Amino acid sequence: MCLSHGNIARRSVLAAGLALPFAAMAGTAEAAPSGPFAIVCARIFDGRRVIECGTVVVDGGHIIAVHEGAPPRGLPVHDGRGKTLLPGLIDGHVHHTNPDRTDAPRFGVTTELDMVSDPGAHGPIRRQRRSYAPTPLSDLWTAGWWATVPGGWGTDSGIEFPLMEPGTDPAAFVAARHAEGSDHLKLALEDVHLITGARLPVLSEAQVRGLIAAAKRHDMPSVAHATRQDMARTALAAGITGLVHLFSDAEIADDVVRLAVRSGVFVTPTLTLWSALGSLRNPATKSVITDPRVAPLLSAKQRGFLDAPWGFERPGVLETASRNVAKLHAAGVPITAGTDSGIPGIAHGVSLLVELELLVRAGLTPVQALAAATSTPAAHDGFRDRGRIARGLRADLVLVNGDPTRDITALRDISAVWRNGAPVKREL
């Protein structure tokens, strides 16, 4: 688009009265945002409801209008006929061993929540997510160093990081994480090693309560890695904000369901993890990554993670976790989508497609599964600028061929992705 055409288009948007004040919206943008355009005649899932035929106008990295009429004259348009427009997807559980963060947006995942990382990288991460500049990278929120004890879960990584030593003040531990720029506090509640079966030291109930209380004082969400029901019960009783795995060692007990409802917790089941551990063949993932609409778009890094074997399997864990999802969902507990990407068998971006299909198999409708990757995590993680398609929000958008609000597997056929209103190159 030539400069003169772009200026004409911008004036037409302003004249139509559709734009928010650009000075107010520009905020901390670090570079010129992408030019204005419209997506027309698309089915729109706005994060909560479906608009069967609508128009979305984008400018300055923002959504400036959502309506059912024609776009302002002079704007470049993307034809949405036969397609569905979604908010950028949110993966609520990743481990960012891929530092460039380009794989996720190519599959529509524009925001990721990292569950452990070196806080030395927090500065650039925070600056990027405040920006409305065009970028091929996902936005990242991170826990920084998590809370575990000497010899506990995660201490065999070979990386030295702060621990909850005997006598460590939970308030001081959380204050240090907050000062480092951590967005949320993650607690490692694992008393049996998932691979070896060896017993592990674990945070005490008093430490758990102290850490969660301190996180609340800093307005930090607290989340728990807990793959066993007893550990999850401890976290729920202490007031945890979210469970970022759903346990698979037992059918969920009625008292745990009631506790989850009373506590207002959200649950990120990571069914993709249980699929990878449940079978060496991992059929749920294989179905997605061998689909001809997906396979040519996988990067070498993604294939490296997807092809990495665990070397053992735990039959039945996916089925148990899925039944537990169904019971929590039926009770009204918010479910959010997350993959545990960055570990064997699970890759950034593409594995969220697997997770959403597994959530539907577990009993969510396609619309509910899509909400679990858009508006629901945005609400529970306090994201005010994303997770919806609405006037004034960030223009992270995914255009899909077909209708994933009825058939979740349509997400395998993405037509286009925009980050901050700029197109994401999907081809390798």
Side-chain angles (χ1 to χ4, degrees), residues 300-326:
K301 288 181 180 178
Q302 286 173 308
R303 289 193 178 278
F305 283 111
L306 292 166
D307 294 341
W310 282 96
F312 66 91
E313 57 185 10
R314 298 278 174 81
V317 290
L318 174 61
E319 291 74 16
T320 300
S322 297
R323 288 192 292 271
N324 292 344
V325 168

Side-chain angles (χ1 to χ4, degrees), residues 42-45 80 82-86 398-405:
R43 179 182 299 101
I44 299 169
F45 172 68
K83 301 177 183 181
T84 304
L85 189 67
L86 312 170
V398 186
L399 189 62
V400 177
N401 295 314
D403 186 2
T405 69

Side-chain angles (χ1 to χ4, degrees), residues 10-48:
R10 181 180 291 272
R11 285 198 297 272
S12 72
V13 174
L14 293 171
L18 295 175
L20 293 175
F22 282 93
M25 294 200 311
T28 56
E30 297 171 357
S34 183
F37 64 91
I39 303 165
V40 301
C41 301
R43 179 182 299 101
I44 299 169
F45 172 68
D46 72 359
R48 295 176 182 168

Side-chain angles (χ1 to χ4, degrees), residues 118-309:
D118 186 336
H122 288 186
I125 287 169
R126 283 175 171 263
R127 285 193 295 274
Q128 180 197 303
R129 72 192 192 206
R130 289 194 297 266
S131 172
Y132 286 88
T135 175
L137 310 181
S138 62
D139 281 342
L140 194 67
W141 272 255
T142 179
W145 300 129
W146 58 3
T148 189
V149 298
W153 181 255
T155 58
D156 59 352
S157 64
I159 301 171
E160 291 189 9
F161 54 91
L163 300 171
M164 283 291 294
E165 305 274 359
T168 298
D169 179 11
F173 183 92
V174 174
R177 307 289 78 74
H178 185 262
E180 291 167 347
S182 294
D183 299 297
H184 44 272
L185 177 71
K186 184 181 180 184
L187 285 67
L189 296 182
E190 192 73 64
D191 60 353
V192 175
H193 200 286
L194 280 174
I195 298 173
T196 67
R199 299 294 300 189
L200 294 173
V202 68
L203 293 163
S204 69
E205 291 187 21
Q207 287 175 317
V208 171
R209 288 194 300 270
L211 289 165
I212 292 172
K216 288 179 180 177
R217 289 193 292 272
H218 286 283
D219 199 26
M220 294 173 67
S222 57
V223 297
H225 165 115
T227 66
R228 291 164 56 81
Q229 181 161 224
D230 286 348
M231 292 287 97
R233 184 184 279 111
T234 296
L236 291 170
I240 201 79
T241 307
L243 299 177
V244 290
H245 290 297
L246 183 54
F247 50 86
S248 63
D249 66 316
E251 298 280 340
I252 191 167
D254 290 344
D255 72 294
V256 175
V257 174
R258 291 192 295 269
L259 193 54
V261 172
R262 286 199 306 270
S263 70
V265 72
F266 69 85
V267 175
T268 307
T270 62
L271 294 179
T272 308
L273 167 67
W274 299 123
S275 179
L277 289 176
S279 168
L280 290 174
R281 295 180 294 104
N282 197 358
T285 292
K286 290 290 174 60
S287 174
V288 172
I289 66 175
T290 58
D291 189 306
R293 298 170 293 181
V294 173
L297 300 170
L298 294 172
S299 71
K301 288 181 180 178
Q302 286 173 308
R303 289 193 178 278
F305 283 111
L306 292 166
D307 294 341

